[in-house]
Amino acid sequence: MSYAYLFKYIIIGDTGVGKSCLLLQFTDKRFQPVHDLTIGVEFGARMITIDNKPIKLQIWDTVHTLPLSLPSYASCDALSRLVAGQESFRSITRSYYRGAAGALLVYDITRRETFNHLASWLEDARQHANANMTIMLVGNKCDLSHRRAVSYEEGEQFAKEHGLIFMEASAKTAQNVEEAFVKTAGAIYKKIQDGVFDVSMSLMESKSDMQSLVNPEVLVPRLLKVVVAAANFLICSMASVCVSHVRCCIFMLPSGK
Ligand SMILES: Nc1nc2c(ncn2[C@@H]2O[C@H](COP(=O)(O)OP(=O)(O)OP(=O)(O)O)[C@@H](O)[C@H]2O)c(=O)[nH]1
Ligand SMILES: [Mg+2]
């Protein structure tokens, strides 16, 4: 199906806040009640219409468990282990930000710590993403407002302070899910019309990132480079061990008298 624009979105936020569920609700209109920890990257896509133009949203459900810029809470034992487990994905994660036109920054209104970590997530986004990326702050799980730990006003205030759009939503009841994705697209579309966001550049970056992640023609040469570098390192290390061994033997040779 043809489209006028393709917007890359990323969904970021602490583990368990409902990122995958928001994506599933938006693309498949269903809810996943069991927490299925996202490992690696999952993609979703859906067409929407803005200003009578078909727009394709390509959504990357990221692997993040914690922000890349580790805050002090990472010193907690259990969390440190979690970080270590996900460390191998961190460099890949950085490339997720590149080319993103929009981001859903999600916290769980029933878990205060997920709200407290928002500043670190924003720091990551500001560091790795396009400065004009549109960020929608989503206070998820608003169906559980009887267990609320973060007030609506606090979310609204945080968004105001950091120039974000804000909504509370529920991936379970689908409340505001459609709106969160569509409103973000509307803001991106407006930036394009105003000439402050170049979606073609963003797409080129996004495409090359996708290629490097999934295309064997790009991936295999890169892997080969890594293997060659590792082999080089091994050979150099072995050579230096041999040299020091020979030196040692020469040093220990009888003087010849
Ligand atoms: N009540 C309620 N539960 C939700 C909602 N959204 C997600 N959940 C539940 O929260 C848990 C975590 O949801 P996920 O979507 O897997 O969370 P995630 O952010 O993708 O987590 P990671 O992949 O580990 O980063 C699951 O048990 C979901 O069923 C919601 O809006 N309301
Ligand atoms: Mg997930």
Short mmCIF file of all heavy atoms in Angstrom, two decimals, residues 56-110:
data_model
loop_
_atom_site.label_atom_id
_atom_site.label_comp_id
_atom_site.label_asym_id
_atom_site.label_seq_id
_atom_site.Cartn_x
_atom_site.Cartn_y
_atom_site.Cartn_z
N LYS A 56 2.40 5.98 6.97
CA LYS A 56 2.73 4.69 7.57
C LYS A 56 3.57 4.92 8.82
O LYS A 56 4.58 5.63 8.78
CB LYS A 56 3.52 3.83 6.57
CG LYS A 56 3.83 2.45 7.11
CD LYS A 56 4.41 1.56 6.03
CE LYS A 56 4.74 0.20 6.59
NZ LYS A 56 5.20 -0.72 5.56
N LEU A 57 3.12 4.34 9.92
CA LEU A 57 3.91 4.41 11.15
C LEU A 57 4.67 3.09 11.31
O LEU A 57 4.07 2.02 11.30
CB LEU A 57 3.01 4.63 12.37
CG LEU A 57 2.11 5.85 12.36
CD1 LEU A 57 1.41 6.00 13.72
CD2 LEU A 57 2.90 7.12 12.05
N GLN A 58 5.97 3.23 11.40
CA GLN A 58 6.82 2.04 11.61
C GLN A 58 7.32 2.15 13.04
O GLN A 58 8.08 3.06 13.37
CB GLN A 58 7.97 2.09 10.62
CG GLN A 58 8.98 0.98 10.75
CD GLN A 58 10.28 1.37 10.08
OE1 GLN A 58 11.08 2.14 10.61
NE2 GLN A 58 10.50 0.87 8.89
N ILE A 59 6.85 1.25 13.89
CA ILE A 59 7.10 1.42 15.33
C ILE A 59 8.10 0.39 15.85
O ILE A 59 7.90 -0.81 15.65
CB ILE A 59 5.77 1.32 16.11
CG1 ILE A 59 4.74 2.30 15.50
CG2 ILE A 59 5.98 1.63 17.59
CD1 ILE A 59 3.33 1.79 15.54
N TRP A 60 9.13 0.88 16.51
CA TRP A 60 10.17 0.01 17.06
C TRP A 60 9.93 -0.10 18.55
O TRP A 60 10.02 0.88 19.27
CB TRP A 60 11.56 0.59 16.82
CG TRP A 60 11.98 0.76 15.39
CD1 TRP A 60 11.23 1.18 14.34
CD2 TRP A 60 13.28 0.50 14.86
NE1 TRP A 60 11.97 1.21 13.20
CE2 TRP A 60 13.25 0.81 13.48
CE3 TRP A 60 14.49 0.05 15.41
CZ2 TRP A 60 14.35 0.67 12.66
CZ3 TRP A 60 15.59 -0.07 14.58
CH2 TRP A 60 15.51 0.21 13.22
N ASP A 61 9.64 -1.32 18.99
CA ASP A 61 9.48 -1.59 20.41
C ASP A 61 10.86 -1.94 20.93
O ASP A 61 11.39 -3.00 20.62
CB ASP A 61 8.50 -2.75 20.61
CG ASP A 61 8.31 -3.11 22.07
OD1 ASP A 61 8.75 -2.34 22.94
OD2 ASP A 61 7.72 -4.18 22.32
N THR A 62 11.45 -1.05 21.69
CA THR A 62 12.87 -1.20 22.02
C THR A 62 13.12 -2.18 23.15
O THR A 62 12.23 -2.49 23.94
CB THR A 62 13.49 0.16 22.39
OG1 THR A 62 12.82 0.63 23.53
CG2 THR A 62 13.36 1.13 21.26
N VAL A 63 14.39 -2.57 23.21
CA VAL A 63 14.82 -3.57 24.18
C VAL A 63 15.12 -2.97 25.55
O VAL A 63 15.29 -3.67 26.53
CB VAL A 63 16.09 -4.27 23.65
CG1 VAL A 63 17.26 -3.32 23.61
CG2 VAL A 63 16.42 -5.48 24.45
N HIS A 64 15.11 -1.62 25.63
CA HIS A 64 15.54 -0.97 26.87
C HIS A 64 14.91 -1.57 28.12
O HIS A 64 13.72 -1.78 28.17
CB HIS A 64 15.11 0.50 26.90
CG HIS A 64 15.61 1.28 25.77
ND1 HIS A 64 16.91 1.62 25.62
CD2 HIS A 64 14.95 1.79 24.72
CE1 HIS A 64 17.03 2.32 24.53
NE2 HIS A 64 15.86 2.45 23.96
N THR A 65 15.74 -1.76 29.08
CA THR A 65 15.23 -2.11 30.41
C THR A 65 15.49 -0.93 31.33
O THR A 65 14.69 -0.59 32.16
CB THR A 65 15.95 -3.37 30.93
OG1 THR A 65 15.55 -4.43 30.09
CG2 THR A 65 15.55 -3.67 32.33
N LEU A 66 16.65 -0.31 31.12
CA LEU A 66 16.99 0.88 31.89
C LEU A 66 17.61 1.88 30.93
O LEU A 66 18.12 1.49 29.88
CB LEU A 66 18.02 0.51 32.97
CG LEU A 66 17.47 -0.37 34.09
CD1 LEU A 66 18.62 -0.93 34.89
CD2 LEU A 66 16.53 0.41 34.98
N PRO A 67 17.61 3.16 31.27
CA PRO A 67 18.23 4.13 30.37
C PRO A 67 19.71 3.82 30.17
O PRO A 67 20.34 3.22 31.04
CB PRO A 67 18.06 5.46 31.11
CG PRO A 67 17.02 5.21 32.12
CD PRO A 67 17.06 3.76 32.46
N LEU A 68 20.24 4.26 29.02
CA LEU A 68 21.66 4.01 28.73
C LEU A 68 22.56 4.73 29.72
O LEU A 68 23.56 4.20 30.17
CB LEU A 68 21.99 4.50 27.31
CG LEU A 68 21.26 3.77 26.21
CD1 LEU A 68 21.55 4.45 24.89
CD2 LEU A 68 21.68 2.33 26.16
N SER A 69 22.20 5.98 30.06
CA SER A 69 22.99 6.72 31.03
C SER A 69 22.56 6.25 32.41
O SER A 69 21.53 6.68 32.92
CB SER A 69 22.75 8.21 30.88
OG SER A 69 21.38 8.44 30.65
N LEU A 70 23.35 5.36 32.96
CA LEU A 70 22.93 4.69 34.18
C LEU A 70 22.83 5.63 35.37
O LEU A 70 23.81 6.25 35.75
CB LEU A 70 23.92 3.58 34.53
CG LEU A 70 23.82 2.35 33.66
CD1 LEU A 70 24.88 1.34 34.08
CD2 LEU A 70 22.45 1.72 33.76
N PRO A 71 21.67 5.73 35.97
CA PRO A 71 21.55 6.54 37.18
C PRO A 71 21.97 5.74 38.41
O PRO A 71 22.29 4.57 38.31
CB PRO A 71 20.06 6.86 37.20
CG PRO A 71 19.41 5.77 36.45
CD PRO A 71 20.42 5.16 35.55
N SER A 72 21.92 6.39 39.55
CA SER A 72 22.44 5.76 40.76
C SER A 72 21.66 4.51 41.17
O SER A 72 22.21 3.63 41.81
CB SER A 72 22.42 6.76 41.90
OG SER A 72 21.13 7.30 41.97
N TYR A 73 20.40 4.40 40.77
CA TYR A 73 19.62 3.25 41.22
C TYR A 73 20.17 1.95 40.67
O TYR A 73 19.86 0.87 41.13
CB TYR A 73 18.14 3.38 40.88
CG TYR A 73 17.84 3.49 39.41
CD1 TYR A 73 17.81 2.36 38.59
CD2 TYR A 73 17.58 4.73 38.83
CE1 TYR A 73 17.54 2.47 37.25
CE2 TYR A 73 17.31 4.84 37.49
CZ TYR A 73 17.28 3.70 36.71
OH TYR A 73 17.00 3.82 35.38
N ALA A 74 21.05 2.04 39.65
CA ALA A 74 21.62 0.83 39.07
C ALA A 74 22.58 0.14 40.02
O ALA A 74 23.02 -0.96 39.77
CB ALA A 74 22.32 1.16 37.77
N SER A 75 22.91 0.82 41.14
CA SER A 75 23.81 0.16 42.08
C SER A 75 23.08 -0.93 42.85
O SER A 75 23.70 -1.81 43.43
CB SER A 75 24.39 1.19 43.03
OG SER A 75 23.32 1.82 43.70
N CYS A 76 21.76 -0.87 42.86
CA CYS A 76 20.98 -1.93 43.52
C CYS A 76 21.32 -3.27 42.86
O CYS A 76 21.42 -3.37 41.64
CB CYS A 76 19.49 -1.60 43.39
SG CYS A 76 18.43 -3.03 43.43
N ASP A 77 21.53 -4.30 43.69
CA ASP A 77 22.04 -5.58 43.21
C ASP A 77 21.24 -6.21 42.08
O ASP A 77 21.76 -6.55 41.03
CB ASP A 77 22.05 -6.53 44.41
CG ASP A 77 23.41 -7.17 44.54
OD1 ASP A 77 24.37 -6.55 44.06
OD2 ASP A 77 23.48 -8.28 45.09
N ALA A 78 19.94 -6.35 42.34
CA ALA A 78 19.09 -7.03 41.35
C ALA A 78 19.09 -6.26 40.03
O ALA A 78 19.20 -6.85 38.95
CB ALA A 78 17.66 -7.13 41.88
N LEU A 79 19.03 -4.94 40.14
CA LEU A 79 19.00 -4.13 38.93
C LEU A 79 20.32 -4.21 38.17
O LEU A 79 20.34 -4.26 36.95
CB LEU A 79 18.67 -2.68 39.27
CG LEU A 79 17.20 -2.40 39.53
CD1 LEU A 79 17.00 -0.98 40.00
CD2 LEU A 79 16.37 -2.63 38.28
N SER A 80 21.42 -4.25 38.93
CA SER A 80 22.73 -4.33 38.28
C SER A 80 22.81 -5.58 37.42
O SER A 80 23.33 -5.56 36.32
CB SER A 80 23.85 -4.40 39.30
OG SER A 80 23.72 -3.36 40.19
N ARG A 81 22.26 -6.67 37.98
CA ARG A 81 22.29 -7.92 37.22
C ARG A 81 21.47 -7.80 35.96
O ARG A 81 21.84 -8.26 34.90
CB ARG A 81 21.77 -9.08 38.07
CG ARG A 81 22.93 -9.80 38.76
CD ARG A 81 22.46 -10.97 39.57
NE ARG A 81 22.14 -10.57 40.93
CZ ARG A 81 20.97 -10.74 41.52
NH1 ARG A 81 20.00 -11.33 40.88
NH2 ARG A 81 20.77 -10.34 42.76
N LEU A 82 20.36 -7.13 36.10
CA LEU A 82 19.47 -6.92 34.95
C LEU A 82 20.20 -6.10 33.88
O LEU A 82 20.17 -6.41 32.70
CB LEU A 82 18.24 -6.15 35.42
CG LEU A 82 16.96 -6.34 34.63
CD1 LEU A 82 16.61 -7.80 34.53
CD2 LEU A 82 15.83 -5.61 35.35
N VAL A 83 20.92 -5.05 34.36
CA VAL A 83 21.65 -4.19 33.44
C VAL A 83 22.71 -5.02 32.72
O VAL A 83 22.86 -4.95 31.50
CB VAL A 83 22.33 -3.04 34.22
CG1 VAL A 83 23.23 -2.25 33.30
CG2 VAL A 83 21.29 -2.14 34.82
N ALA A 84 23.44 -5.83 33.51
CA ALA A 84 24.51 -6.63 32.92
C ALA A 84 23.93 -7.55 31.85
O ALA A 84 24.50 -7.71 30.78
CB ALA A 84 25.19 -7.43 34.00
N GLY A 85 22.79 -8.12 32.13
CA GLY A 85 22.14 -9.02 31.19
C GLY A 85 21.78 -8.35 29.89
O GLY A 85 21.79 -8.97 28.84
N GLN A 86 21.45 -7.08 29.97
CA GLN A 86 20.98 -6.38 28.78
C GLN A 86 22.11 -5.56 28.14
O GLN A 86 21.91 -4.95 27.11
CB GLN A 86 19.84 -5.44 29.16
CG GLN A 86 18.68 -6.14 29.82
CD GLN A 86 17.50 -6.30 28.89
OE1 GLN A 86 17.27 -5.46 28.05
NE2 GLN A 86 16.76 -7.37 29.05
N GLU A 87 23.28 -5.60 28.76
CA GLU A 87 24.39 -4.75 28.29
C GLU A 87 24.70 -4.95 26.82
O GLU A 87 24.97 -4.00 26.09
CB GLU A 87 25.63 -5.05 29.15
CG GLU A 87 26.79 -4.11 28.98
CD GLU A 87 26.44 -2.68 29.32
OE1 GLU A 87 25.79 -2.45 30.36
OE2 GLU A 87 26.81 -1.82 28.53
N SER A 88 24.64 -6.21 26.36
CA SER A 88 25.02 -6.50 24.98
C SER A 88 24.10 -5.81 23.99
O SER A 88 24.45 -5.62 22.84
CB SER A 88 25.00 -8.00 24.74
OG SER A 88 23.76 -8.52 25.14
N PHE A 89 22.92 -5.42 24.43
CA PHE A 89 21.98 -4.78 23.52
C PHE A 89 22.15 -3.26 23.48
O PHE A 89 21.58 -2.59 22.65
CB PHE A 89 20.53 -5.07 23.94
CG PHE A 89 20.18 -6.52 23.82
CD1 PHE A 89 19.96 -7.26 24.96
CD2 PHE A 89 20.06 -7.12 22.58
CE1 PHE A 89 19.64 -8.61 24.87
CE2 PHE A 89 19.74 -8.45 22.48
CZ PHE A 89 19.53 -9.20 23.63
N ARG A 90 22.98 -2.74 24.39
CA ARG A 90 23.02 -1.29 24.54
C ARG A 90 23.52 -0.57 23.30
O ARG A 90 23.00 0.46 22.94
CB ARG A 90 23.86 -0.91 25.76
CG ARG A 90 23.08 -1.14 27.00
CD ARG A 90 23.90 -0.91 28.23
NE ARG A 90 23.03 -1.18 29.35
CZ ARG A 90 22.25 -0.28 29.89
NH1 ARG A 90 22.27 0.95 29.47
NH2 ARG A 90 21.45 -0.61 30.87
N SER A 91 24.57 -1.13 22.66
CA SER A 91 25.08 -0.42 21.49
C SER A 91 24.06 -0.48 20.36
O SER A 91 23.91 0.48 19.60
CB SER A 91 26.42 -1.01 21.06
OG SER A 91 26.23 -2.35 20.73
N ILE A 92 23.35 -1.60 20.25
CA ILE A 92 22.31 -1.71 19.21
C ILE A 92 21.23 -0.67 19.51
O ILE A 92 20.75 0.02 18.63
CB ILE A 92 21.69 -3.12 19.17
CG1 ILE A 92 22.77 -4.17 18.97
CG2 ILE A 92 20.63 -3.22 18.08
CD1 ILE A 92 22.27 -5.59 19.13
N THR A 93 20.92 -0.57 20.79
CA THR A 93 19.86 0.33 21.23
C THR A 93 20.10 1.76 20.77
O THR A 93 19.17 2.44 20.36
CB THR A 93 19.78 0.28 22.76
OG1 THR A 93 19.52 -1.05 23.13
CG2 THR A 93 18.68 1.18 23.28
N ARG A 94 21.37 2.17 20.81
CA ARG A 94 21.68 3.55 20.41
C ARG A 94 21.22 3.81 18.98
O ARG A 94 20.76 4.90 18.65
CB ARG A 94 23.18 3.81 20.54
CG ARG A 94 23.59 3.97 21.97
CD ARG A 94 25.04 4.40 22.11
NE ARG A 94 25.37 4.46 23.52
CZ ARG A 94 25.94 3.48 24.20
NH1 ARG A 94 26.26 2.38 23.58
NH2 ARG A 94 26.17 3.60 25.48
N SER A 95 21.33 2.81 18.13
CA SER A 95 20.95 3.03 16.73
C SER A 95 19.44 3.11 16.57
O SER A 95 18.95 3.61 15.57
CB SER A 95 21.54 1.95 15.82
OG SER A 95 20.83 0.75 16.01
N TYR A 96 18.69 2.62 17.56
CA TYR A 96 17.22 2.72 17.49
C TYR A 96 16.78 4.17 17.46
O TYR A 96 15.81 4.52 16.82
CB TYR A 96 16.55 2.05 18.70
CG TYR A 96 16.74 0.56 18.78
CD1 TYR A 96 16.48 -0.11 19.96
CD2 TYR A 96 17.15 -0.18 17.69
CE1 TYR A 96 16.64 -1.48 20.06
CE2 TYR A 96 17.32 -1.55 17.78
CZ TYR A 96 17.06 -2.18 18.97
OH TYR A 96 17.22 -3.52 19.06
N TYR A 97 17.51 4.99 18.19
CA TYR A 97 17.12 6.39 18.28
C TYR A 97 17.28 7.12 16.96
O TYR A 97 16.53 8.03 16.64
CB TYR A 97 17.98 7.11 19.33
CG TYR A 97 17.55 6.86 20.76
CD1 TYR A 97 18.23 5.98 21.58
CD2 TYR A 97 16.47 7.55 21.29
CE1 TYR A 97 17.85 5.76 22.89
CE2 TYR A 97 16.08 7.36 22.60
CZ TYR A 97 16.78 6.46 23.40
OH TYR A 97 16.40 6.26 24.69
N ARG A 98 18.31 6.70 16.19
CA ARG A 98 18.61 7.42 14.95
C ARG A 98 17.48 7.28 13.95
O ARG A 98 16.96 6.19 13.72
CB ARG A 98 19.92 6.91 14.36
CG ARG A 98 21.07 7.81 14.78
CD ARG A 98 22.31 7.50 14.03
NE ARG A 98 22.78 6.17 14.40
CZ ARG A 98 23.37 5.35 13.54
NH1 ARG A 98 23.53 5.70 12.29
NH2 ARG A 98 23.79 4.17 13.94
N GLY A 99 17.09 8.40 13.38
CA GLY A 99 16.07 8.38 12.34
C GLY A 99 14.65 8.38 12.89
O GLY A 99 13.69 8.38 12.12
N ALA A 100 14.51 8.38 14.22
CA ALA A 100 13.15 8.37 14.78
C ALA A 100 12.52 9.76 14.69
O ALA A 100 13.14 10.76 15.06
CB ALA A 100 13.20 7.91 16.23
N ALA A 101 11.31 9.81 14.16
CA ALA A 101 10.59 11.08 14.06
C ALA A 101 9.76 11.30 15.32
O ALA A 101 9.47 12.43 15.69
CB ALA A 101 9.70 11.07 12.83
N GLY A 102 9.37 10.19 15.95
CA GLY A 102 8.53 10.30 17.15
C GLY A 102 8.91 9.26 18.19
O GLY A 102 9.45 8.20 17.86
N ALA A 103 8.64 9.60 19.45
CA ALA A 103 8.91 8.64 20.53
C ALA A 103 7.77 8.68 21.52
O ALA A 103 7.23 9.74 21.83
CB ALA A 103 10.22 8.99 21.23
N LEU A 104 7.39 7.50 21.99
CA LEU A 104 6.45 7.42 23.10
C LEU A 104 7.30 7.11 24.33
O LEU A 104 7.96 6.06 24.39
CB LEU A 104 5.44 6.28 22.86
CG LEU A 104 4.05 6.69 22.35
CD1 LEU A 104 4.16 7.46 21.06
CD2 LEU A 104 3.15 5.47 22.16
N LEU A 105 7.33 8.03 25.27
CA LEU A 105 8.09 7.84 26.51
C LEU A 105 7.06 7.42 27.56
O LEU A 105 6.18 8.20 27.93
CB LEU A 105 8.79 9.14 26.90
CG LEU A 105 9.45 9.22 28.26
CD1 LEU A 105 10.48 8.10 28.45
CD2 LEU A 105 10.14 10.57 28.46
N VAL A 106 7.16 6.16 27.99
CA VAL A 106 6.09 5.58 28.80
C VAL A 106 6.51 5.35 30.25
O VAL A 106 7.61 4.89 30.52
CB VAL A 106 5.66 4.22 28.18
CG1 VAL A 106 4.41 3.67 28.89
CG2 VAL A 106 5.39 4.34 26.69
N TYR A 107 5.61 5.69 31.18
CA TYR A 107 5.78 5.29 32.57
C TYR A 107 4.49 4.64 33.03
O TYR A 107 3.46 4.70 32.33
CB TYR A 107 6.18 6.49 33.47
CG TYR A 107 5.12 7.56 33.64
CD1 TYR A 107 4.24 7.54 34.74
CD2 TYR A 107 5.00 8.58 32.71
CE1 TYR A 107 3.27 8.52 34.90
CE2 TYR A 107 4.02 9.56 32.86
CZ TYR A 107 3.16 9.53 33.95
OH TYR A 107 2.19 10.49 34.10
N ASP A 108 4.56 3.98 34.19
CA ASP A 108 3.41 3.26 34.73
C ASP A 108 2.87 4.10 35.89
O ASP A 108 3.60 4.34 36.87
CB ASP A 108 3.92 1.88 35.20
CG ASP A 108 2.86 1.04 35.87
OD1 ASP A 108 1.79 1.57 36.23
OD2 ASP A 108 3.11 -0.17 36.07
N ILE A 109 1.63 4.54 35.80
CA ILE A 109 1.10 5.45 36.84
C ILE A 109 1.01 4.78 38.22
O ILE A 109 0.87 5.45 39.23
CB ILE A 109 -0.28 6.06 36.46
CG1 ILE A 109 -1.35 4.98 36.39
CG2 ILE A 109 -0.23 6.87 35.19
CD1 ILE A 109 -2.73 5.50 36.71
N THR A 110 1.14 3.43 38.26
CA THR A 110 1.07 2.73 39.55
C THR A 110 2.46 2.47 40.15
O THR A 110 2.57 1.95 41.25
CB THR A 110 0.32 1.38 39.44
OG1 THR A 110 1.14 0.46 38.69
CG2 THR A 110 -1.02 1.53 38.77
#
